[in-house]
Every structure is written in structure tokens, then in C-alpha cells.
Amino acid sequence: MEKLTHFNEEGRAQMVDVSGKPETVRTAIAQSSIEVNNTIYEHISQNKVKKGDVLAVAQVAGIMAAKKTWDIIPMCHPIPLKGINFSFEWQDGKADHKQLIISASVKTVGNTGVEMEALTAVSAAALTVYDMCKAIDKGMVIGPTFLIEKTGGVSSKDYRR
Amino acid sequence: MEKLTHFNEEGRAQMVDVSGKPETVRTAIAQSSIEVNNTIYEHISQNKVKKGDVLAVAQVAGIMAAKKTWDIIPMCHPIPLKGINFSFEWQDGKADHKQLIISASVKTVGNTGVEMEALTAVSAAALTVYDMCKAIDKGMVIGPTFLIEKTGGVSSKDYRR
Amino acid sequence: MEKLTHFNEEGRAQMVDVSGKPETVRTAIAQSSIEVNNTIYEHISQNKVKKGDVLAVAQVAGIMAAKKTWDIIPMCHPIPLKGINFSFEWQDGKADHKQLIISASVKTVGNTGVEMEALTAVSAAALTVYDMCKAIDKGMVIGPTFLIEKTGGVSSKDYRR
Amino acid sequence: MEKLTHFNEEGRAQMVDVSGKPETVRTAIAQSSIEVNNTIYEHISQNKVKKGDVLAVAQVAGIMAAKKTWDIIPMCHPIPLKGINFSFEWQDGKADHKQLIISASVKTVGNTGVEMEALTAVSAAALTVYDMCKAIDKGMVIGPTFLIEKTGGVSSKDYRR
Amino acid sequence: MEKLTHFNEEGRAQMVDVSGKPETVRTAIAQSSIEVNNTIYEHISQNKVKKGDVLAVAQVAGIMAAKKTWDIIPMCHPIPLKGINFSFEWQDGKADHKQLIISASVKTVGNTGVEMEALTAVSAAALTVYDMCKAIDKGMVIGPTFLIEKTGGVSSKDYRR
Amino acid sequence: MEKLTHFNEEGRAQMVDVSGKPETVRTAIAQSSIEVNNTIYEHISQNKVKKGDVLAVAQVAGIMAAKKTWDIIPMCHPIPLKGINFSFEWQDGKADHKQLIISASVKTVGNTGVEMEALTAVSAAALTVYDMCKAIDKGMVIGPTFLIEKTGGVSSKDYRR
């Protein structure tokens, strides 16, 4: 059975040594979503708020959060991110609701992958949408949040959901 | 139709003025979850890793993230949190999987609510579980994440899902 | 002659004790600007970049920087900001250039003023405009940056430039 | 016409992918200034405050701010800075005023330049001088702030103002 | 036997609820020290480095660290600090060594004490002295570090070592 | 006599240029300790607090603090840490007291050493133990804190205490 690599011999958490892993280009794409009612959907998507753009703020939040993933997730390594990109898409949700699909792609050149950075990015973006719209309805639901794809690294085969 | 209060007259984002709202005790409870396969479940729940405790790390992560919600969510006010508490519970998931239910309760005395702090806390805790177990399986799914309950404040009636 | 209140008896820097000052509503408005050439002006102002909005990003940057003023300016007190608002205005600059006037208004209820928060907010917004447009021209000039107005507090009369 | 590289195909902000750019030594020098009245000038320059040193605090602030430029400017890449150095110089200003010229030089070995780090460093230093002297006079004016020189990188010729 | 208040009913860490404790003026004084050899002592104390001042940098570090104690110590509450002051004193150490005594006094008005802020302040200051002098000798020893005095709060009698 | 490399020609602090130093594997091990009374010792060591684990929280705190050493110690370079590991050991202290020995080992591949990261890690862990146990006794004493060993780098021979 595989080991949880985040624990040392005393069974306590550690930040695992990745210095022996090769520096390669590594990418990860993660997805989250938030289900909102139609009122919120119209506000956001039709840009009723003149020049205002909920998604623009959410995206900035996601990019900035990705950069501090190492400060939010205790055992994550600090990684010099080389690029982050977001995309948004609306889908139908349950009755009178829409689902905003949020995906982020993150790239680095380093010893360890950027799955956590991509997952943190979409989570922060979804939380920001919630924050900016909660005056209208607090019943929004975030997620599911998951990894879509990762590339790079030699010890693990590339992952694709 | 309600307004999105996060936008100013030019339609740009702002951090809304809450100085006129009363300072009251305010609480919020949020919930997230993460679905893991049975191998991961056994590692975490049976504490096979001697003294190690994935949930202990996740909880510290959640508490620390709650305190910096204002630095992650752009339009959130900095709020002096007075208390944060977590609880974890295992439920059956889909075939060969378990669902870890994560809930956090946050309290403040202030001009504005702590919904975002509670939602950020459970999100960070779930991401931390993902990070610590991803060497075993990257197919874990986080969420749904949502607000369970909020109390305090006068302009909005208390919310209970 | 007035004393520099930031130095203690040994002549070293300190964070001065403000616990004896009254908690009042305090506001500050600061202004900065950035001079850009016409190419950059057109990109930004005509929103040629579909849905993109340099000013939206600059504004988020300014609001987030205001919240961490205490972490950027060593002797600043941490202050629970209650509201932040931005406005932007274009003016003619020198030949073939435009001046983007950036102003931010910050509000708190506390023992000490928010001048530094307002000045930090506009500075970060101007730096962000520079960053997002520097691929076109690195000759942009930021400033002058100054305080326009402050209100609140009893020991100092209100300031208006 | 050049493109604003900070926007993706949907027209939203992104942190551009720099992983294909070469790792080279890169430097940048930026300048800011602050105009102060003679009273403030004397306090600072004559070190009347025994052992106290406004410029020492400003310099520490500038160095620390440079290191967190990526956390202040949303689309900036995190860059492992290799060295930062400051210098200060007094010049005559308008009647009864002096101009403190602040310049900072920043160096890295990386995929992208350090202009923003140098500009952020001098901005934070100028704001710190303002903060430490504002008890005497709030009429100080910061800037102009601009890039003096950058070296390194292949896609852009070296820049010198 | 007293309880460890930082653990909840499940035995996991929590940030304890202090909202029921009274808002009072609270102070704490902590002390640390660093033992350095005579070469380092002369460099620091005689200010051989023209205008340079190791203690000035250490003090800024200590003040800034005190403000982010809540971000360093997981279960600490964010507290709006009202004032921080440092003092330094040289004492004889073991043969050919001097002891730099570092003390910091911290003040707030709040629901909980500032012991951790004072202890963090002196620790960061001592670490900074180490960092700035380690090119000369890496054998410096930091500490002991302890609380000297605390005042304020009703549930615990004032503490004085 | 060796120079203090942290000061520039004007005698002010700088972050020294390390871009000419080779990128090598570098490690450092530091030690701190905290002396606690027997009541606290029993609470911590016998894990009376069901599932609770003071050392687990202290260790997470230490790892997270190591990652932000550059943000706590002003002249420290930001370094991409590759691994961090902790160990704890109890020793007899003075009458009715026990000494908790805390050591941390840190590894990077970079231009400069990780002594400060290791020293910061053990300091934060010791402060966290203090914080979590101070409700029982505020007389705990932290330290001595010192460097045990460093390896890597060519300009200085390896250090071993």
C-alpha cells in the first residue's frame, strides 16, 4: 500500500524532500463551480453592473491565491509559478439556477507539481463569487472541486480524469 | 431586484462601507467535504501513521486560513475573529469511497458577518486533506461547500439552510 | 518644534501607543496618477481588450494593498478598515500622453487615521497599471502621490489640501 | 500595435506564461522621491533623533516590500530576488522644501524582469518616510516614480531612461 | 488540573472563543537575548558600519513580526495592536562574549492578552541580529526567551516573573 | 576583520547580492527548546487531550514559519525550500520541570544557506507550544536556540557545532 509521504518516521507531518526530483515543466488544470440562482446569474452574466465584472474580481482573487498556496496549505512547497490562466463557462443547473464552471490552468518549472495551486486558484475564485453575490442569496453552493489533468514529473504517470 | 453591494457607482468593485452597521456577536457555520477512496480512508481514520493525524494538520490549515480570509477574498473586510472550531465526520460515499464531512464554526463581534471566514476555513481544510493524500490517489473530489447557518446582524434575518 | 512620534527615548523606531486616542470615524482620501502614452491610453480606456479591464485589476490591487498597509509600512498600526472606494479619471498629459488620475477613499472606526491606507491603495493601483501595460512602454511615470483630505480624530484638525 | 500580454483570449487578466523565456541575470533600477518641508528635512538629515534613522526604517520597508511585490501586484510572477540595494540623496525642492531622492536596484536570475520589484521598493520606502513624518506635516508629496534602467532578457532591448 | 483551552471536545486544536472576555487594556513585556563574540559586539555597538545600525533593523523586524503573530502562531487571535516598544542593553557574557538583552513591550485594547505578540517580537529581533552577523560567526546563541510581565484581563491575576 | 555583509557602502542595510554564488544543495539543522512544568509535560506527552497533539500543531507552525522566513527576517533572501523535517525529544529539566528539545532540518537547492529558515522554524514551534500551554503556566522558558549544523556552499566550510 502506498505511503502517505507527508509524514516522517515519528509519524508527524513534514514537508517532504523534493530536491532529488527533476526540474521539469509541470502543469495542472483544476475545476470548481458555483451554483447560483437566476437573479445572480443575470447580474453577473449580463454585466448589468456597468463596467463591473464579478468574474474579473474572482479571477484576480484566484491568481493571487494560487501564488500563496504554499502559505495556505501547510505541507505545500513554495513554487515559482510561471503562468496562470482562468476560464469561465455557464451551464444550466437545477431549476431556476445556473452553474458557473471555473477552471484554472497553472504552469511551473520545478521539482514538484502544481495540482494544489490549481485547486486553490479555483477555490478562491468560487469563494469570491460567493462573497460578491451573497447579499442577494446565501444559498449558493460551491463545488465539486477536482483535478482535471496534470502533466510533468517522472515518478508519476500523467494524470487525466 | 437587490443590488450587488460590492460595486460602486462607476460599476467597479469596492469594499463596501460597513461602519454604520452595528457591532454585534456574529457566527457562521459552513460545511465542505472530500470524497476519498478506502485506502486513504483507512490511512486517515485508523491513524496508521503513528501519532500522525491528517485531520490535525487540516484543522490547523483551516483555522489559519480563516484568519487570512480578508487577504484571499478581495472585497472581504478584515475582521477580528474571536473563535474558530472544527468538526469532522465520516459518511459512506459512492462504492469503495468514504466522504469526510468538514464543518467549521466561526465567531466574531463586529460590523459584518463571518460567512466567508467559515467557508474559507472548510475549503482550506479540504484542500489540505487533498494535498496530504494525493500521493495515493489524485481522484479525490472536494465539496459541495456551502453555508449552513449564520446568526447576528440586524439588516438580514438569520440564515439557516 | 513638533516631535517625530515614531521614535522612542533611545531614538529608535517604535509603533506609537494610540490606545489613549478616542475611537472615532476616520476617513482619508489620497490621489496618485500615472502618465501613459496614447497607445496605452487607447488600450485601457476603449476596453479594446474584450471584457478585459486594466482598471478593474488595478482597483482590486489597491483595495487588497490597503488592507495590508500595516504589513508594508513598518510603524503603521493594524486597523480594521470599514470601507474602501476608488475612482479613476483621465486628463490630458504632456504631448501624446494622457494622465490617469487615481483616487481612493478609505474609512475606519478606530484610534488612528487611515492616511497611509489611502496612500498605499493608490500607489498599488498605479503600480498595477504600470505592470499591466509595461509590455507596450516602460516610460510611464507614476505620481505625484499625496493626501487630499482626512477627517476624524480630535488631536489634529481636519486636513484638506 | 503591441498587445497587452496580461490578458487572455477571453479578455480577462492572466499571469502570462514565462516558462519559455530564458533564465538570465536581470536587474532594474527605479527612482521615487518625497518632497518635505525644512523642519522634516532637518529632523531626518541631521539625525536629531538620537540613533534614530528614518531612512533606515524606510530602507527596511523597501527591501521587505520588494520581496512581496508578487503579493501586491496581481499579475506579477513570484521571483526569487538575489539582491536589493538602496540609496538616498537630498536635493533642493520648491521654496523651503527639500526633495529626498530614493533609488533602489534589484537583481534576480530568472525568466522575467524585476522592474515591478524596484518600483515597489521605492514606493514603499517613500510611503514609510511619509508615515514617520506625517505628525509634523501631512503636505508631503511622493513621486514622480519611474524606471531608470533595466538589463537582462532577450526579447526586449535593455531599457535606459 | 487546569485544562488546555486550545483543544475542543474532540481533542483537536481550536482557536478558543474569547468573545465573552472583557475588552480591557492589556500589556505584555517579554525578553530574549543573543550571545555574540567580541568581534560582532564591536561591529554592532560601536556603529562601525557608518550610519548602519543592526539594532535598527532588528527592531523593525520585531515590530513587524509582532503585528503578524496571529499568522505565525496557529491558535493566536488576530489582535489590533495599539503600541510596541523595544529596548536593548548589553551585558557581559561568557569569556570573550557579550549578551545583548532584547525586551519588547506590547499594548492592546482587546479580549485577550498580548503575551505571544511580545514573545514573537523579541524572537524575531534576535533572529534578525543572528542573520545580520552570521557572516562573522555562526555560533551565536539566542535566548532564553520568556515573559517578564503581563497586565490586564480579569480571569487571570497579573503576572510578573 | 570580517565585514558585515548586510550593509552597503552608505552603511545602510541591504539584501546582499548572492547571484554569483553557486546553486548547490544546502541544509541546516537548528535546535530550540522549551522548559515546562510537570503538569504541562503530562498534558502534552501523555496525549491526555484525546487525539489532540500540541506537538502536531507546533510542527505545522514551524514548517509554515520556515516558509515565510524571508517575510519575517528583513535581509533574508526568498528561498524555494525543498524539504523540512522536525523532531521532538523530552529531557529532564530543573526540579519538577521537563525540557522539550525541538530540532528542525531544512533543505534547499540555491545560492544561499538555510540557517535562518531552520532557526525560524524551531523558534515558531517553541512559541506555539508556549501559546497552547500558557493557560496552565506562563513561566515557561524558551531556548537556548542555536544552529547545530549546516552543509553546502563553497565560500564557507561546513559548520558543525
Side-chain angles (χ1 to χ4, degrees):
Chain A
M1 195 185 291
E2 297 96 320
K3 285 203 316 179
L4 281 178
T5 54
H6 276 298
F7 288 101
N8 68 6
E9 287 137 54
E10 293 181 39
R12 290 191 199 284
Q14 64 172 329
M15 199 174 86
V16 297
D17 182 5
V18 296
S19 63
K21 298 168 78 177
E23 287 227 338
T24 63
V25 172
R26 293 162 189 268
T27 65
I29 302 176
Q31 180 180 312
S32 186
S33 58
I34 183 165
E35 192 174 63
V36 305
N37 67 25
N38 276 333
T39 305
I40 293 176
Y41 165 69
E42 282 162 27
H43 270 83
I44 297 177
S45 65
Q46 299 173 21
N47 247 352
K48 280 200 183 155
V49 263
K50 175 169 50 104
K51 275 183 294 176
D53 190 340
V54 172
L55 304 189
V57 180
Q59 183 160 343
V60 174
I63 289 171
M64 296 186 87
K67 292 192 276 182
K68 50 190 154 198
T69 300
W70 60 270
D71 195 34
I72 298 172
I73 312 298
M75 301 303 141
C76 263
H77 295 80
I79 299 177
L81 301 187
K82 301 300 184 186
I84 309 175
N85 204 349
F86 260 84
S87 77
F88 294 103
E89 188 195 329
W90 286 103
Q91 294 184 352
D92 284 337
K94 66 178 191 202
D96 294 328
H97 283 71
K98 293 282 182 183
Q99 189 85 1
L100 175 66
I101 306 295
I102 303 170
S103 56
S105 122
V106 178
K107 193 178 206 175
T108 194
V109 180
N111 309 96
T112 182
V114 285
E115 299 95 292
M116 295 318 302
E117 283 72 13
L119 288 162
T120 300
V122 292
S123 300
L127 288 165
T128 299
V129 173
Y130 188 102
D131 178 47
M132 297 184 74
C133 301
K134 70 181 192 291
I136 302 178
D137 174 31
K138 290 178 177 55
M140 289 169 280
V141 175
I142 293 172
T145 305
F146 51 88
L147 184 67
I148 303 239
E149 181 186 318
K150 84 180 278 281
T151 68
V154 292
S155 60
S156 69
K157 60 185 174 307
D158 286 353
Y159 173 93
R160 189 175 296 266
R161 193 183 177 77
Chain B
M1 195 185 289
E2 296 94 324
K3 287 202 317 181
L4 281 179
T5 54
H6 276 298
F7 288 102
N8 69 5
E9 286 137 54
E10 294 180 37
R12 290 192 198 286
Q14 64 172 331
M15 198 173 88
V16 297
D17 181 4
V18 297
S19 63
K21 297 169 77 179
E23 288 227 337
T24 62
V25 172
R26 294 162 188 267
T27 65
I29 302 177
Q31 180 180 311
S32 186
S33 58
I34 182 165
E35 192 175 63
V36 305
N37 67 24
N38 276 332
T39 305
I40 293 177
Y41 166 68
E42 282 162 26
H43 270 82
I44 297 177
S45 65
Q46 299 173 21
N47 247 352
K48 280 198 182 159
V49 262
K50 175 168 52 100
K51 275 183 294 176
D53 191 342
V54 172
L55 303 189
V57 180
Q59 183 160 344
V60 173
I63 289 171
M64 294 186 87
K67 291 191 278 183
K68 51 191 155 199
T69 299
W70 60 269
D71 196 34
I72 298 173
I73 312 298
M75 301 304 140
C76 264
H77 296 79
I79 300 178
L81 301 186
K82 302 299 184 185
I84 308 175
N85 203 350
F86 260 85
S87 77
F88 295 103
E89 189 196 327
W90 287 102
Q91 294 184 352
D92 284 336
K94 68 178 190 201
D96 294 328
H97 282 71
K98 294 283 182 182
Q99 189 85 4
L100 174 67
I101 306 297
I102 303 172
S103 56
S105 122
V106 178
K107 192 179 206 174
T108 195
V109 180
N111 309 95
T112 181
V114 286
E115 298 95 292
M116 294 318 301
E117 283 72 13
L119 287 162
T120 301
V122 292
S123 299
L127 288 165
T128 299
V129 172
Y130 188 102
D131 177 48
M132 298 184 75
C133 300
K134 71 181 191 294
I136 302 179
D137 174 33
K138 289 179 179 54
M140 288 169 281
V141 175
I142 292 172
T145 305
F146 52 88
L147 185 67
I148 302 239
E149 181 185 317
K150 83 180 280 281
T151 68
V154 292
S155 60
S156 69
K157 63 186 173 305
D158 285 354
Y159 173 92
R160 188 176 295 264
R161 193 184 176 76
Chain C
M1 195 186 290
E2 297 95 323
K3 287 203 316 180
L4 281 177
T5 54
H6 276 297
F7 288 101
N8 68 6
E9 287 137 54
E10 293 180 39
R12 291 190 197 287
Q14 64 172 330
M15 199 174 88
V16 296
D17 181 4
V18 297
S19 62
K21 298 169 77 179
E23 287 227 338
T24 63
V25 172
R26 293 162 188 268
T27 65
I29 302 177
Q31 180 180 313
S32 186
S33 58
I34 183 165
E35 192 176 62
V36 305
N37 67 26
N38 276 331
T39 306
I40 293 177
Y41 165 69
E42 281 162 26
H43 269 82
I44 298 178
S45 64
Q46 298 173 22
N47 246 352
K48 280 198 181 156
V49 263
K50 175 169 50 105
K51 273 183 298 178
D53 190 341
V54 172
L55 303 189
V57 180
Q59 181 160 344
V60 174
I63 289 171
M64 294 185 88
K67 291 191 277 182
K68 49 191 156 198
T69 299
W70 60 269
D71 195 35
I72 298 173
I73 312 298
M75 302 303 141
C76 263
H77 295 80
I79 299 179
L81 301 187
K82 301 299 184 187
I84 308 175
N85 203 349
F86 261 84
S87 77
F88 295 103
E89 188 195 328
W90 287 102
Q91 294 184 351
D92 284 337
K94 66 178 192 203
D96 295 330
H97 282 72
K98 294 283 181 182
Q99 190 85 4
L100 175 66
I101 308 295
I102 303 170
S103 56
S105 124
V106 178
K107 192 178 206 175
T108 194
V109 180
N111 309 95
T112 183
V114 286
E115 299 95 292
M116 295 318 301
E117 282 72 12
L119 287 162
T120 301
V122 292
S123 301
L127 288 165
T128 299
V129 173
Y130 187 102
D131 177 48
M132 297 185 74
C133 300
K134 70 181 194 291
I136 301 178
D137 174 30
K138 289 178 178 53
M140 289 169 280
V141 175
I142 293 172
T145 304
F146 51 89
L147 184 67
I148 303 238
E149 180 185 318
K150 81 180 281 282
T151 68
V154 292
S155 60
S156 69
K157 62 187 173 304
D158 285 353
Y159 172 92
R160 187 177 297 264
R161 193 184 177 75
Chain D
M1 194 186 292
E2 297 95 321
K3 286 203 315 180
L4 281 179
T5 55
H6 277 297
F7 288 101
N8 68 7
E9 288 137 53
E10 294 180 39
R12 291 190 198 286
Q14 64 172 331
M15 199 174 88
V16 297
D17 181 4
V18 297
S19 63
K21 298 169 77 179
E23 288 226 340
T24 63
V25 172
R26 294 161 189 268
T27 65
I29 303 179
Q31 180 180 311
S32 186
S33 58
I34 182 165
E35 192 175 63
V36 305
N37 68 24
N38 276 332
T39 306
I40 293 177
Y41 166 68
E42 281 161 27
H43 270 83
I44 297 177
S45 66
Q46 299 173 21
N47 246 352
K48 280 199 182 155
V49 264
K50 173 168 52 103
K51 275 182 296 178
D53 191 341
V54 172
L55 304 188
V57 180
Q59 182 160 344
V60 173
I63 290 171
M64 295 186 87
K67 292 192 277 183
K68 50 191 155 198
T69 300
W70 60 269
D71 195 34
I72 298 173
I73 312 298
M75 301 303 141
C76 264
H77 295 80
I79 300 179
L81 301 186
K82 301 298 185 187
I84 308 174
N85 204 349
F86 261 84
S87 77
F88 296 102
E89 189 196 328
W90 287 103
Q91 294 184 351
D92 284 337
K94 65 177 192 205
D96 295 328
H97 283 71
K98 294 282 182 183
Q99 190 86 3
L100 175 67
I101 307 297
I102 303 171
S103 57
S105 124
V106 178
K107 193 179 205 175
T108 194
V109 180
N111 309 94
T112 183
V114 286
E115 300 95 294
M116 295 318 302
E117 282 72 12
L119 288 163
T120 301
V122 292
S123 300
L127 287 165
T128 299
V129 173
Y130 188 102
D131 177 47
M132 297 184 74
C133 300
K134 70 180 192 292
I136 301 179
D137 174 31
K138 290 179 177 55
M140 289 169 281
V141 175
I142 293 172
T145 304
F146 51 89
L147 184 68
I148 303 237
E149 181 185 317
K150 81 180 281 282
T151 70
V154 293
S155 60
S156 70
K157 61 184 175 308
D158 286 354
Y159 172 92
R160 188 176 298 264
R161 193 184 176 75
Chain E
M1 196 186 289
E2 297 95 321
K3 286 202 317 180
L4 281 178
T5 54
H6 276 298
F7 288 102
N8 67 6
E9 285 139 54
E10 293 180 37
R12 291 191 198 287
Q14 65 172 329
M15 199 173 88
V16 296
D17 181 5
V18 297
S19 62
K21 297 169 78 178
E23 286 227 337
T24 63
V25 172
R26 293 162 189 267
T27 65
I29 302 177
Q31 180 180 311
S32 186
S33 59
I34 182 165
E35 192 175 63
V36 305
N37 67 25
N38 276 331
T39 305
I40 293 176
Y41 166 68
E42 282 162 26
H43 269 82
I44 297 178
S45 65
Q46 300 174 20
N47 246 353
K48 280 200 182 155
V49 264
K50 174 169 51 103
K51 274 183 295 178
D53 191 340
V54 173
L55 303 190
V57 180
Q59 182 160 344
V60 174
I63 289 171
M64 294 186 86
K67 291 192 276 184
K68 51 191 154 198
T69 300
W70 60 269
D71 195 35
I72 298 172
I73 312 297
M75 302 302 142
C76 264
H77 295 80
I79 299 178
L81 301 187
K82 302 299 184 186
I84 309 175
N85 204 349
F86 260 84
S87 78
F88 295 102
E89 188 195 329
W90 288 102
Q91 294 184 351
D92 285 336
K94 67 178 189 201
D96 295 328
H97 283 71
K98 294 283 181 182
Q99 190 85 3
L100 175 66
I101 307 297
I102 303 169
S103 55
S105 123
V106 179
K107 192 178 204 174
T108 195
V109 179
N111 310 95
T112 182
V114 285
E115 299 95 291
M116 294 319 301
E117 283 72 14
L119 287 162
T120 300
V122 293
S123 299
L127 288 165
T128 299
V129 173
Y130 187 103
D131 177 47
M132 297 184 75
C133 300
K134 70 181 192 292
I136 302 178
D137 174 32
K138 290 179 178 55
M140 288 168 281
V141 175
I142 293 173
T145 305
F146 51 89
L147 184 67
I148 303 238
E149 182 185 317
K150 81 179 281 280
T151 68
V154 292
S155 60
S156 69
K157 61 185 172 307
D158 285 354
Y159 172 91
R160 187 175 296 265
R161 193 184 176 74
Chain F
M1 193 187 290
E2 298 95 321
K3 287 203 316 181
L4 281 179
T5 55
H6 277 296
F7 288 101
N8 68 6
E9 288 137 54
E10 294 179 38
R12 291 191 198 286
Q14 65 172 330
M15 199 174 88
V16 298
D17 181 4
V18 297
S19 62
K21 298 169 78 178
E23 287 227 338
T24 63
V25 172
R26 293 162 189 268
T27 65
I29 303 177
Q31 180 180 311
S32 186
S33 58
I34 182 166
E35 192 175 63
V36 306
N37 67 25
N38 276 331
T39 305
I40 293 176
Y41 165 69
E42 282 162 26
H43 270 83
I44 297 177
S45 65
Q46 298 174 21
N47 247 350
K48 279 199 182 156
V49 264
K50 176 169 50 105
K51 274 183 296 177
D53 191 342
V54 172
L55 303 189
V57 180
Q59 182 160 342
V60 173
I63 289 170
M64 295 186 86
K67 291 192 277 183
K68 50 191 154 198
T69 300
W70 60 270
D71 195 35
I72 298 172
I73 313 296
M75 302 303 140
C76 263
H77 295 79
I79 300 178
L81 301 186
K82 301 299 183 186
I84 309 174
N85 204 349
F86 260 85
S87 77
F88 295 103
E89 189 196 328
W90 287 103
Q91 294 184 351
D92 285 337
K94 66 178 190 202
D96 295 328
H97 283 71
K98 294 283 182 182
Q99 190 85 4
L100 175 66
I101 307 297
I102 302 171
S103 56
S105 124
V106 178
K107 193 179 206 174
T108 193
V109 180
N111 309 96
T112 182
V114 285
E115 300 94 294
M116 294 318 302
E117 283 73 12
L119 287 162
T120 301
V122 292
S123 300
L127 287 166
T128 299
V129 172
Y130 188 102
D131 178 47
M132 296 184 75
C133 301
K134 71 180 192 292
I136 302 180
D137 174 31
K138 289 178 178 55
M140 288 170 281
V141 175
I142 293 173
T145 305
F146 51 89
L147 185 67
I148 303 239
E149 182 185 316
K150 82 179 280 281
T151 69
V154 292
S155 60
S156 69
K157 61 186 175 306
D158 286 353
Y159 173 92
R160 188 175 297 265
R161 192 183 177 77

